[in-house]
Amino acid sequence: MNSAFAQPLFPFPGKGEIYIKIYIKDNTDLIHLSKIVSIDSKTKPESTNVYAYANKTDFINLLKSGYSFEILKHPADLSNEAKMFSGFFKEIYTWDAYPAYSSYVDLMYSFQNNYSHLCKIHKTGVSVQGRDILFAKITNTLNDVIKPRVLLCSSIHGDEPVGYVTLLRMCDYLLSHYGTDTDITNLLNSVEIWINPLANPDGTYAGGNNTLNGATRFNANYVDLNRNFSDFVHGEHSDGNTTQLENLAVIRLTDSLQFVMGATLHSGAEVLNYPWDNQPGLHADDAWWQYVSKAYADTVFAHSQSGYFTGLSSTGYINGYQWYMISGGKQDYLNYYKHMRELTLEISNTKIPDASLLPYFWEANYRSLINYAKEAQNGIQGLVSDSATNQPIRAKISIQNHDNNNSFVYSDSITGRFFRPIYAGTYDVNFSKNTFQEKILMINTYNGTAAFYSVSLAHTSGMNEESLFSDITIFPNPVSDNILIKTGSSDIISEINLFNLHGISINPKTQPETISGNQFIIDVSTVPSGLYFLKGTRSNKSFVKKINILNKN
Ligand SMILES: [Zn+2]
């Protein structure tokens, strides 16, 4: 089966990557194999055939690894040249051709020119070969409302351009329906949508700016951009490469602006893939993921031919790790490091289908994409401010006994606004910030609506920071029954207060009992177990110590 040497592979193909089918023993091989090649897909989770891409180094390592494999025709070695659109006027584009690179750039700027109150193009970086990384920010800019941000990207794999045309068309659809379609008008009045149709332009146009023949999965450095992000399980550079320019363009954007939700479109399969990809543990919001995934898939089923979006999973969606593990992916990066809700959409089994089919993929997916974007407004949202100044603050909003792996969110440092999509339920929501007293609210949420909370946090007057004179010792800690305080001098400790973590005094103005000249005892046997601040005063100066009380009550 190892047919590598039957084919003229060295010198390596000019495009720098090959497409291969690898035979594995079982899924335990995937962890090892994913460090050698870029795994593209499996036809079924239990399948022992793995489709993958390899650059020259990957291929040499694959030869050494001993896996059996077969070299396949590259998906972008097209028998028939894909139909291209190379005009400069949107009016003559009927979305049944792939745009030439210059037409793409021109279309993006024409959105801004034609709809200046709704669209602004942001160039956040350039590719390795200097092509533009463009985002269309689409929202009603005239209403003075702080909106949740949604990020839609496509074609981080250059030879998967179906989502590229789909998202380009989405820009046009949103802009041209604002003001006439109530649904779209409401959406752009309440959500800010950022669209990057082409995340890897060097890959898509590796064969030239006017063709998709010769497109590559990798960027011009032969790097799979979707294995090149920091990974909280597998490490900062799990692919062994520095962070690529194309990825820096999206990292910079999400560093500077807080996004609530996102999706990245691919082709090569037909399924919605939700977190995590890098580990088997479930995301804290697994119920929410299944809820939005089912909504997406069911709407696709209602607007497509039977069989579409069911090849991998009859429901149309799958947990990423259950399909196949990847590391360094964009989805997990945005979920973990940017506290977003980001999923992966595979919308066409054929990577580069005949361009006449592009309207079909649009028709099948656009309603689902719009409905998904609407979810950014739902769940729990609100405003966090400083109770003393009323100024907005950046606070951490986490759900007790629910959040894990950074699934909590922050309020925006400038606006104080936060958005937390979550499945219907009753949650204890914790609002916290260093040097502020935390607040815990019990909040009921319902699917499809938002619960709005305005929360103000009070300063703790430094109480959450310990300060102690060097000659004072307080022990034992943890403590039950009695706390003993020893001082190095015979100064009287005039006052002792015990505060809970909310800053509320639980035994005001207790005089410690003096047991000798410099030893004092405090009876805490009736205090409920928990963390407390012990605040005392000596010679008009106070000291604070965090105490863990463990009583049997
Ligand atoms: Zn892909």
Side-chain angles (χ1 to χ4, degrees):
M1 201 60 80
N2 184 331
S3 55
F5 297 105
Q7 301 186 31
L9 262 170
F10 290 100
F12 210 66
K15 66 169 64 181
E17 67 180 39
I18 53 168
Y19 192 53
I20 37 187
K21 183 179 181 179
I22 304 167
Y23 303 91
I24 58 170
K25 179 171 81 282
D26 55 48
N27 281 342
T28 59
D29 283 343
L30 287 176
I31 292 170
H32 178 236
L33 189 61
S34 68
K35 292 190 181 352
I36 299 173
V37 295
S38 167
I39 298 176
D40 175 44
S41 72
K42 292 176 75 194
T43 47
K44 286 282 176 193
E46 64 276 14
S47 167
T48 52
N49 297 345
V50 175
Y51 295 86
Y53 289 74
N55 63 24
K56 191 173 173 180
T57 308
D58 299 341
F59 184 64
I60 290 168
N61 289 330
L62 180 67
L63 287 173
K64 289 182 193 159
S65 73
Y67 289 105
S68 293
F69 63 88
E70 189 180 345
I71 295 170
L72 306 175
K73 184 181 170 194
H74 192 286
D77 288 341
L78 303 174
S79 320
N80 299 310
E81 187 76 43
K83 186 181 167 198
M84 302 297 287
F85 171 73
S86 53
F88 292 96
F89 300 102
K90 178 173 76 69
E91 291 69 22
I92 60 165
Y93 186 26
T94 46
W95 311 105
D96 55 356
Y98 295 99
Y101 174 68
S102 58
S103 297
Y104 161 61
V105 174
D106 197 69
L107 284 165
M108 289 292 274
Y109 284 101
S110 77
F111 296 141
Q112 174 177 278
N113 295 337
N114 294 341
Y115 302 96
S116 56
H117 62 299
L118 296 173
C119 179
K120 181 156 173 46
I121 300 301
H122 293 258
K123 177 176 164 179
T124 65
V126 292
S127 66
V128 171
Q129 293 178 336
R131 292 185 179 90
D132 293 349
I133 309 292
L134 301 174
F135 290 79
K137 173 187 163 186
I138 297 177
T139 190
N140 175 14
T141 57
L142 302 180
N143 68 348
D144 193 18
V145 177
I146 295 154
K147 304 169 186 132
R149 294 191 185 93
V150 173
L151 183 63
L152 302 176
C153 303
S154 185
S155 306
I156 190 169
H157 293 139
D159 61 347
E160 300 174 5
V162 181
Y164 167 30
V165 179
T166 302
L167 289 190
L168 203 51
R169 187 167 180 178
M170 180 60 77
C171 296
D172 183 60
Y173 184 86
L174 294 173
L175 295 168
S176 61
H177 284 72
Y178 184 84
T180 56
D181 179 315
T182 311
D183 212 29
I184 299 303
T185 307
N186 289 342
L187 179 66
L188 298 190
N189 282 342
S190 53
V191 177
E192 188 177 300
I193 302 176
W194 289 67
I195 299 180
N196 167 227
L198 189 57
N200 178 9
D202 293 353
T204 299
Y205 295 106
N209 280 336
N210 299 306
T211 181
L212 294 190
N213 208 352
T216 59
R217 176 184 186 84
F218 300 155
N219 75 349
N221 288 335
Y222 313 116
V223 172
D224 184 337
L225 297 175
N226 204 34
R227 306 290 182 274
N228 180 244
F229 286 87
S230 289
D231 185 304
F232 70 98
V233 173
H234 302 274
E236 199 178 347
H237 296 288
S238 60
D239 67 345
N241 296 301
T242 56
T243 304
Q244 299 295 295
L245 284 179
E246 293 86 352
N247 287 350
L248 284 175
V250 73
I251 290 169
R252 269 196 293 262
L253 178 70
T254 53
D255 280 349
S256 63
L257 296 175
Q258 200 164 308
F259 284 83
V260 176
M261 283 170 52
T264 297
L265 280 66
H266 294 247
S267 45
E270 292 171 359
V271 72
L272 181 157
N273 173 112
Y274 64 90
W276 300 100
D277 282 336
N278 61 5
Q279 52 132 356
L282 295 182
H283 190 281
D285 289 327
D286 193 65
W288 182 83
W289 283 116
Q290 298 212 31
Y291 162 70
V292 294
S293 299
K294 184 176 186 327
Y296 190 100
D298 287 351
T299 303
V300 165
F301 295 148
H303 298 279
S304 60
Q305 291 164 11
S306 95
Y308 177 66
F309 224 61
T310 55
L312 197 78
S313 157
S314 59
T315 61
Y317 55 94
I318 192 166
N319 169 283
Y321 188 88
Q322 293 305 316
W323 184 14
Y324 65 96
M325 191 280 287
I326 73 163
S327 59
K330 179 183 175 193
Q331 171 192 280
D332 290 355
Y333 172 82
L334 292 177
N335 276 283
Y336 185 85
Y337 292 98
K338 298 297 160 197
H339 309 282
M340 282 174 61
R341 304 292 175 272
E342 158 90 3
L343 54 72
T344 305
L345 287 165
E346 301 272 1
I347 63 168
S348 160
N349 281 336
T350 307
K351 297 220 174 202
I352 309 181
D354 191 275
S356 64
L357 293 171
L358 290 169
Y360 168 75
F361 293 110
W362 161 260
E363 183 65 22
N365 285 280
Y366 82 90
R367 297 173 190 84
S368 297
L369 279 166
I370 289 168
N371 290 339
Y372 177 65
K374 288 180 193 166
E375 288 292 337
Q377 316 161 77
N378 296 332
I380 305 166
Q381 58 159 288
L383 171 70
V384 188
S385 58
D386 178 336
S387 66
T389 63
N390 276 332
Q391 289 302 304
I393 50 175
R394 178 176 161 87
K396 178 179 169 182
I397 296 115
S398 59
I399 318 281
Q400 295 193 328
N401 304 315
H402 176 91
D403 278 327
N404 62 47
N405 288 327
N406 279 6
S407 58
F408 59 84
V409 298
Y410 286 102
S411 53
D412 188 276
S413 58
I414 296 163
T415 65
R417 288 297 306 274
F418 70 91
F419 300 90
R420 172 65 195 264
I422 196 164
Y423 192 70
T426 301
Y427 300 100
D428 288 326
V429 185
N430 182 306
F431 299 82
S432 64
K433 181 177 176 62
N434 199 16
T435 76
F436 285 81
Q437 294 168 28
E438 68 174 0
K439 260 190 188 168
I440 300 168
L441 301 180
M442 195 178 82
I443 292 179
N444 289 310
T445 69
Y446 304 92
N447 293 334
T449 61
F452 188 98
Y453 285 82
S454 188
V455 177
S456 60
L457 298 183
H459 286 268
T460 54
S461 317
M463 187 116 66
N464 60 346
E465 286 160 16
E466 293 193 7
S467 61
L468 207 58
F469 297 103
S470 60
D471 66 331
I472 294 182
T473 51
I474 297 175
F475 62 97
N477 190 12
V479 60
S480 46
D481 302 332
N482 291 305
I483 300 173
L484 198 66
I485 303 174
K486 246 176 154 172
T487 71
S489 69
S490 54
D491 282 357
I492 296 296
I493 292 177
S494 57
E495 193 179 306
I496 288 286
N497 274 274
L498 205 56
F499 295 88
N500 66 18
L501 293 185
H502 301 278
I504 296 165
S505 171
I506 61 150
N507 62 338
K509 297 195 168 115
T510 308
Q511 276 299 332
E513 188 185 334
T514 307
I515 54 174
S516 76
N518 64 344
Q519 289 193 46
F520 308 88
I521 199 164
I522 303 160
D523 180 3
V524 293
S525 59
T526 59
V527 177
S529 295
L531 283 174
Y532 295 86
F533 291 110
L534 179 77
K535 187 180 178 193
T537 307
R538 181 179 75 174
S539 310
N540 294 326
K541 286 188 173 171
S542 61
F543 57 88
V544 176
K545 171 83 179 162
K546 206 172 194 176
I547 299 284
N548 186 5
I549 295 179
L550 295 174
N551 280 323
K552 291 174 199 74
N553 46 45

